Amino acid sequence: MVSGKVISTSNEIMDFATVQVKGTSIGTRPNEKGIYHLKVDAGKHTLVFKAMGYATVERTVTLQAGERQKLNVKMHQKDMELAEVKVEASHVGRINKSAFNAVAVDLKSMAGLNKNLAEVLTTVPGVKLRETGGMGSDMQLMLDGFTGKHVKVFIDGVPQEGAGTALNLNNLPVNFAERIEVYRGVVPVGFGTDALGGVINIVTNQRKLGWFADASYSYGSFNTHKSFVNFGQSFKNGLLYEINAFQNFSDNNYYIDYYVTEFSDDGISENTDKTKIYHIKRFNDRFHNEAVSGKIGVADKKWADRLMLGFSYTHFYKEIQNGVLQKVVFGEKHRHGFSFIPSLEYRKRNLWVEGLDVMANVNYNHNITHNIDTASYKYNWLGQRKYTGVPGEQSHQNNEAKNKNWNGTLTANYRIGHAHLVTFNHVLSTFERTTRSYVSGSSRLSDFSIPKRSRKNVTGLSYRFMPTEKWNATVFGKYYNQYNEGPVSQSDDGIGNYIQMSQKTSAFGYGAAGTYFILKNLQAKLSYEKAYRLPSTDELFGDEDLEAGRANLRPEKSDNVNFNLGYTPRFGKHGLYMEGSLIYRDTKDYIRRGLDNVGGMDFGFYENHGRVKTKGYNVSLRYSYADWFSLGGTFNSMDAIDREKRLAEGTGQASLTYGQRIPNQPYRYANFDASFYWHDLFGKGNMLSLTYDSYYQHEFPLYWEDFGDPDTKARVPEQFSHNLTLNYSVAKGRYNFSLECRNLTDEKLYDNYSLQKAGRAFYGKVRVYFGK
């Protein structure tokens, strides 16, 4: 037996390394403490220690029969960091070596930047961020042609359904996490999810650092303030705690360009000249949120590697400037709410028997949202108003929605020898919403008297075979079960006349994934999945305000195929990263978000839209020279095409949208960045970096592309934006100072249904970090 500890030269635990007997398939990995145990025959052996981003280490040992030897190893990091989006080192390298089409973004070098987690994700191939405005606005992430609810978000492997507005990715600071894992298309069973488009897993820093403190503050355009504090400590007896708090505030009073409905002096008549465009400032769009979370528990016990009790409290306030279209202006409409989230986490390696690792998480999300729309005025974009005599700018309401959401996850991994791994996962999620109104009646988009409930179970079982480092393969199966109960409109226009309906769904899915290293640095990945995506609570029940739910939505069924080829050669100080992916999705009962207008009220709605096929590709290229220079970018092309030939099931009427792209969805977009680094500037351990990044988006139609006059058709125009960031770190990152200019050329940027976003903006950030 040979055993020991594997660490880096900076004393970082190398639990992601591999230990292998040279010339054989015998090997192992260190545990979470960096300790490995390897059984070998008596005799002379050469042990090879490898880790992505680190120089390979070889050590020779000679053992007698029954002898145990201790061999500790320190590994030196290679001079091959690719900056910004890093696809090397530690857990990042392990993810990229997996059979799944996945990439990991290392956030440690970005902690001093004034970014949120959603903005960081835009550098990942296939990812597109869509926002309806400034800070706190509604957000969707596109991932390989899938949008919004198709992509599931996790924090440390725990699903974030029902977590509330304050914990959206565009409200979480980059300091919040250590890395982001992005799984595109087919995802590991261990996540226990029903995602079709993929999974985004936010991984926080769970390493035991003795004590640490991380604090930052930023200020910028539109009276934007952001602050973040994170501190914690671990003790020799295994006790540890952590406190995390952050806040965001912005008036969001940026300028947009739009026509104005002018009110006459008599307060009765109106005049709208759509050819006269004003440069006007938003005036009812303030947003702020506050969050505090804490964890306390123990680690490194015989009965638990990690047992943590956690809590989170969040609060938000959001003024609603406009509806789902920019022509709809609100002057007093707003919402606010809070959430409380207790949680429990348990992890244990080698539970009961060698090779059995168990992880369990449970959390309860209790959040309340208060929608207020009581003003008896109509506003225009100049902030002027006229009295209407009818309360409610959109629909008269003053209601409180209480959401209760339980999430429980159990994952068990059983390692059989060095080549076999069996994984079992089960996720239980329940949701219940009750709404009460402080004015008469219900929202026009819902019926408060009808209960809204959902219960979801997803069970998965997988088997991975990894005979060598050169290739591995995984097969898996999933069982889906869901029960929904809520209101469904019986009216032709989808509004009013609600009745209570319930629906049960169950299905089986399956798939396989494999990877093979064609050459040392040339890796191929192929995966297939027969998947189901169960409707989310927002799609089923809406938001009681601007979105109408539909409780009888059917789950999406999809055949997904992903092929990925990655090449990462190294030529001295020159590093190259090339990746290309092909994506194919054949989705039935596709859940599509659309817009409608009934009685002068614009609102969003959801419907099952027959069959949609998505075909596309993305290409990523990055070059680095030592740790002085890096540049790269991605190009994405995703066509989601309507393939439903008939207008309705069981009818012979042909669909007029057959063969057209799904509307209001970008299908060509790209990003590019270049970074320069000056080391030891004005002192040893200091570094100055300058980064330029840009984003391109091809124009796309708001509605079905073959309908209407091409000259007057509503489109989101082609866009090309530029950002510039200057960051100076002192004492190896202990102090950070950054300046950032977004939308450097003050381009007019648009997104969902032509909702205009902010123009040129400036931000500054200061960060301090201390720790052992």
Side-chain angles (χ1 to χ4, degrees), residues 40-66:
V40 294
D41 295 331
K44 187 176 182 180
H45 303 279
T46 299
L47 302 188
V48 181
F49 298 81
K50 292 183 178 181
M52 183 70 77
Y54 289 78
T56 299
V57 176
E58 293 189 3
R59 293 286 187 270
T60 301
V61 295
T62 303
L63 295 98
Q64 304 296 326

Side-chain angles (χ1 to χ4, degrees), residues 465-481:
F465 180 55
M466 188 176 180
T468 70
E469 288 287 320
K470 193 170 185 178
W471 71 276
N472 65 81
T474 300
V475 294
F476 59 88
K478 291 182 179 180
Y479 173 72
Y480 307 84
N481 179 272

Side-chain angles (χ1 to χ4, degrees), residues 49 97 255 361 439 553 606 699:
F49 298 81
K97 279 188 172 183
Y255 284 90
N361 295 278
V439 297
L553 285 173
Y606 297 91
E699 71 170 14

Side-chain angles (χ1 to χ4, degrees), residues 422-525:
V422 178
T423 299
F424 170 83
N425 176 276
H426 181 78
V427 172
L428 167 65
S429 179
T430 68
F431 175 87
E432 180 180 357
R433 175 186 293 167
T434 56
T435 307
R436 62 175 178 172
S437 177
Y438 295 95
V439 297
S440 60
S442 299
S443 163
R444 294 172 65 185
L445 300 181
S446 184
D447 188 325
F448 297 163
S449 64
I450 296 177
K452 303 172 181 68
R453 301 187 183 97
S454 178
R455 183 178 63 251
K456 181 168 64 176
N457 287 274
V458 180
T459 305
L461 184 67
S462 72
Y463 165 70
R464 188 192 73 180
F465 180 55
M466 188 176 180
T468 70
E469 288 287 320
K470 193 170 185 178
W471 71 276
N472 65 81
T474 300
V475 294
F476 59 88
K478 291 182 179 180
Y479 173 72
Y480 307 84
N481 179 272
Q482 186 178 34
Y483 170 81
N484 303 318
E485 179 183 1
V488 175
S489 173
Q490 298 300 291
S491 302
D492 293 337
D493 57 19
I495 295 277
N497 191 22
Y498 295 99
I499 62 171
Q500 182 175 346
M501 289 191 66
S502 62
Q503 181 172 278
K504 293 182 179 180
T505 300
S506 61
F508 285 96
Y510 51 87
T515 183
Y516 180 76
F517 281 88
I518 302 171
L519 300 172
K520 179 181 179 180
N521 296 306
L522 180 61
Q523 182 185 15
K525 298 180 180 183

